[in-house]
Amino acid sequence: SGMRLKFGLIPLIFQYSLNLSPIARSKNSGKINALFASDVGLIADGLLPQLLMMFITPFQLGVLVWLLHNELGNSMFVAFGVIVIAIPLLIYAMVCFGGFLAAKAIHTDQRVKLTNEIVNSIRIIKYYAWEMPFSEKLEAVRALEIVQIKNVYICWVSLDVIMATLPIAMPIAAFYTFVSLGNDLTQSVIFTSLMLFVNLSFPVQALSGQASTIFSARTALDRICKLINEEERHKDVIRDPKLNEGEGNG
């Protein structure tokens, strides 16, 4: 299905890029190459493999919550209170991730567009010895792109750190509440609960990967939709049927 989606998006983008008006084509010359190189792959190869996990993860969480409730009782809900506390941080990191990813895509389009212009005009640039000015301009655009790439990975690492901390903080909070309520923390309860929390860490950590994949695919899809909605060239030239008759008679 991923290959079918990719082979469907690439001809679609190519078809609309051929019908763009001259102004829209010059404005999106770098963007079209970036769509072929990365955006289509983010949707076809990144999003579709995560769709199955998005349906499995809630089922896994439900089963593990039920088993933990049998072991720890209501103390188990304190562990999920840790997730509630971390939700604002997760939302902030995800929003920043999407914003930096969109900004990075803009600078990537500018860099690709400038590179194409340099390659197409290389004879004029060499003739007038404009290598250094164009090189400095390209390096400036690349520097802006690198800044946004660093910001994207900072948000990505922040999401991973938060998700990696939750499986450690959750059993600590649950065991502390369990003992505070006057229950006996036996070996069977400890090891069984720890095993369940370890299994719970996999779907919890998968949420960060799914969130980043969704934001990346959404950004790529918005860019494709924006290209499709660009101004197309006007089909004002209408061929007179009489000309065809005249050519046939001639």
Side-chain angles (χ1 to χ4, degrees):
S1 58
M3 295 299 294
R4 290 181 181 178
L5 180 59
K6 181 183 291 186
F7 292 147
L9 286 175
I10 291 177
L12 178 66
I13 297 171
F14 183 74
Q15 179 182 358
Y16 275 93
S17 64
L18 292 178
N19 294 326
L20 291 177
S21 64
I23 297 176
R25 182 174 297 179
S26 62
K27 184 176 66 175
N28 296 280
S29 60
K31 182 178 181 179
I32 295 171
N33 295 332
L35 290 177
F36 287 128
S38 61
D39 293 72
V40 173
L42 288 175
I43 298 175
D45 300 331
L47 181 61
L48 289 183
Q50 294 289 344
L51 290 178
L52 180 61
M53 291 301 299
M54 292 177 188
F55 290 103
I56 296 176
T57 300
F59 176 75
Q60 291 178 332
L61 289 174
V63 173
L64 291 170
V65 167
W66 177 69
L67 294 173
L68 281 171
H69 188 268
N70 292 337
E71 293 293 331
L72 300 176
N74 294 330
S75 302
M76 177 270 305
F77 294 105
V78 179
F80 287 90
V82 177
I83 298 179
V84 175
I85 296 174
I87 284 177
L89 296 176
L90 292 173
I91 294 175
Y92 178 76
M94 291 177 185
V95 171
C96 292
F97 180 84
F100 291 137
L101 194 65
K104 177 251 180 188
I106 293 174
H107 293 304
T108 301
D109 295 341
Q110 294 176 350
R111 176 179 59 82
V112 174
K113 180 180 179 181
L114 181 60
T115 303
N116 292 335
E117 292 176 353
I118 292 174
V119 172
N120 294 331
S121 307
I122 191 63
R123 291 185 178 181
I124 298 176
I125 293 174
K126 298 292 289 184
Y127 182 80
Y128 289 100
W130 288 344
E131 294 92 338
M132 290 303 297
F134 277 93
S135 176
E136 293 175 355
K137 186 176 181 179
L138 184 61
E139 290 176 357
V141 176
R142 179 59 178 169
L144 295 175
E145 183 185 6
I146 291 175
V147 170
Q148 299 302 326
I149 292 175
K150 290 180 180 178
N151 293 332
V152 168
Y153 278 99
I154 288 173
C155 294
W156 197 346
V157 171
S158 300
L159 285 171
D160 289 340
V161 169
I162 295 172
M163 289 299 182
T165 305
L166 288 178
I168 300 174
M170 290 171 63
I172 294 175
F175 289 149
Y176 177 80
T177 306
F178 186 78
V179 174
S180 300
L181 294 177
N183 299 310
D184 294 331
L185 194 61
T186 60
Q187 294 179 354
S188 60
V189 174
I190 292 174
F191 289 110
T192 304
S193 300
L194 284 177
M195 197 64 191
L196 292 173
F197 276 116
V198 170
N199 292 327
L200 185 64
S201 65
F202 293 107
V204 171
Q205 290 178 354
L207 293 176
S208 63
Q210 293 172 5
S212 60
T213 301
I214 290 173
F215 273 95
S216 301
R218 180 183 176 183
T219 302
L221 187 60
D222 290 340
R223 284 161 51 80
I224 294 175
C225 292
K226 187 176 180 180
L227 177 68
I228 293 175
N229 293 325
E230 287 286 349
E231 180 185 4
E232 298 185 8
R233 59 183 178 182
H234 297 287
K235 299 179 181 180
D236 296 333
V237 179
I238 302 176
R239 189 173 180 85
D240 192 353
K242 296 181 180 180
L243 295 178
N244 295 332
E245 296 178 358
E247 292 176 358
N249 295 330

